[in-house]
Amino acid sequence: MNAPLRTRRHDIVPFVLCALACVSLVALPASAGYTPYTPGAGIKGSPHDFSDGAYSSGNGDGACKYCHAGHDTAQLDESVGGPSASVGSSPQAPQEFDYLPLWNHELTPNYRTYGMYQNGTGAPTAGSKALQATVSTPGSASLLCLGCHDGSLAVNSYGNVLETASATTMLDAQYAIGQGGVLANHHPIGFDYDAVQAVDDEIRSADTADLTATSSVRDHLYGAGNTIMECGTCHAVHNKGNTGETLLWRSDINSELCLTCHDKGLYTPPVAAAP
């Protein structure tokens, strides 16, 4: 299997992908503090806008290029629908990356070595309180997020060799998720939500729990049939359609986000923002 490779990019202005099912948690420049932003207002000025400050190349290429480009981006492995490795000049991603939305960022080298969520040897082993969210690796959508957030690569590890050669700006440790390949103490991702909900009486149905005023949890799940929970289930990477802090689809003030899925007897449906 080929190791993850950085992609090449022509000198074009990358375009915005409007709907990335990749999801990512908040990343900020190491040299900067948290910058207030308006939830739902779009990528510009959000925590995922790296066009200014520590990550900027000074080329005026905008926010999109850190993740996406119009040409010569990573291509899928042949086993998941991509061309033969002998076709074209773009680098071929490992088969674990089965979702590559014109991906222009280097892929995490930890994709096979993550220690996934576990709740301890003293946890219940049977019944609804047993660990149900078992999975061996995050889904591809989350793996793309982890390319920055697991701390294995510089945030500016993207594009052609002239840009990646000086890619030394690492994510600040306080925003790292899965650093050192450890995801055991983070909310599980990459698991089948419906399978867990079927055996756990404290998980709400993905079809009846609303995550925003116009969408259910089901609308934010991934994979065939929209059943897999990934980073983007909770976080809006492009800062569109969300209303919560830290790019959350809805605010977690008073645990509203948590209680959307976790049925602890309290649930407040999201309300549309006033016009």
Side-chain angles (χ1 to χ4, degrees), residues 86-170:
S86 62
V87 176
S89 58
S90 297
Q92 191 171 53
Q95 64 182 5
E96 284 81 359
F97 293 85
D98 61 3
Y99 173 66
L100 292 173
L102 291 179
W103 200 247
N104 194 42
H105 195 276
E106 191 167 359
L107 303 173
T108 175
N110 290 329
Y111 64 97
R112 285 185 177 173
T113 61
Y114 288 113
M116 300 303 289
Y117 172 76
Q118 57 88 17
N119 54 11
T121 57
T125 57
S128 63
K129 301 301 181 289
L131 175 59
Q132 309 292 351
T134 55
V135 65
S136 59
T137 186
S140 185
S142 294
L143 287 175
L144 300 183
C145 305
L146 289 164
C148 284
H149 282 278
D150 69 6
S152 63
L153 299 169
V155 175
N156 52 342
S157 294
Y158 67 90
N160 62 43
V161 67
L162 294 178
E163 290 167 322
T164 56
S166 60
T168 58
T169 307
M170 305 299 292

Side-chain angles (χ1 to χ4, degrees), residues 9 19 21 28 50 66 69 80 95 118 128 133 137 154 158 234 259-260:
R9 188 179 64 83
L28 295 177
F50 307 129
Y66 293 87
V80 289
Q95 64 182 5
Q118 57 88 17
S128 63
T137 186
Y158 67 90
C234 294
L259 293 170
T260 298

Side-chain angles (χ1 to χ4, degrees), residues 10-261:
H10 290 307
D11 290 330
I12 61 167
V13 178
F15 62 91
V16 176
L17 292 181
C18 296
L20 172 65
C22 151
V23 21
S24 151
L25 303 179
V26 176
L28 295 177
S31 62
Y34 179 76
T35 302
Y37 71 102
T38 302
I43 191 73
K44 186 63 178 176
S46 78
H48 278 159
D49 177 8
F50 307 129
S51 60
D52 297 316
Y55 302 131
S56 175
S57 67
N59 293 331
D61 291 322
C64 303
K65 69 174 182 178
Y66 293 87
C67 294
H68 310 289
H71 301 284
D72 287 339
T73 58
Q75 64 186 28
L76 293 168
D77 184 87
E78 189 175 3
S79 65
V80 289
S84 168
S86 62
V87 176
S89 58
S90 297
Q92 191 171 53
Q95 64 182 5
E96 284 81 359
F97 293 85
D98 61 3
Y99 173 66
L100 292 173
L102 291 179
W103 200 247
N104 194 42
H105 195 276
E106 191 167 359
L107 303 173
T108 175
N110 290 329
Y111 64 97
R112 285 185 177 173
T113 61
Y114 288 113
M116 300 303 289
Y117 172 76
Q118 57 88 17
N119 54 11
T121 57
T125 57
S128 63
K129 301 301 181 289
L131 175 59
Q132 309 292 351
T134 55
V135 65
S136 59
T137 186
S140 185
S142 294
L143 287 175
L144 300 183
C145 305
L146 289 164
C148 284
H149 282 278
D150 69 6
S152 63
L153 299 169
V155 175
N156 52 342
S157 294
Y158 67 90
N160 62 43
V161 67
L162 294 178
E163 290 167 322
T164 56
S166 60
T168 58
T169 307
M170 305 299 292
L171 189 76
D172 192 280
Q174 65 180 310
Y175 304 110
I177 300 294
Q179 201 165 29
V182 177
L183 292 173
N185 61 332
H186 297 280
H187 192 287
I189 52 176
F191 68 90
D192 189 309
Y193 186 101
D194 291 346
V196 172
Q197 195 268 335
V199 295
D200 190 336
D201 58 7
E202 291 190 350
I203 299 295
R204 301 183 194 278
S205 166
D207 298 306
T208 59
D210 289 336
L211 197 52
T212 74
T214 58
S215 63
S216 68
V217 171
R218 176 75 63 203
D219 296 319
H220 298 267
L221 297 175
Y222 294 83
N226 290 66
T227 63
I228 307 299
M229 184 166 189
E230 301 291 358
C231 300
T233 302
C234 294
H235 294 272
V237 64
H238 291 133
N239 191 37
K240 288 290 292 182
N242 53 305
T243 58
E245 60 281 353
T246 60
L247 299 179
L248 293 172
W249 283 109
R250 68 174 304 191
S251 173
D252 199 36
I253 293 176
N254 298 321
S255 299
E256 288 181 342
L257 176 72
C258 299
L259 293 170
T260 298
C261 295

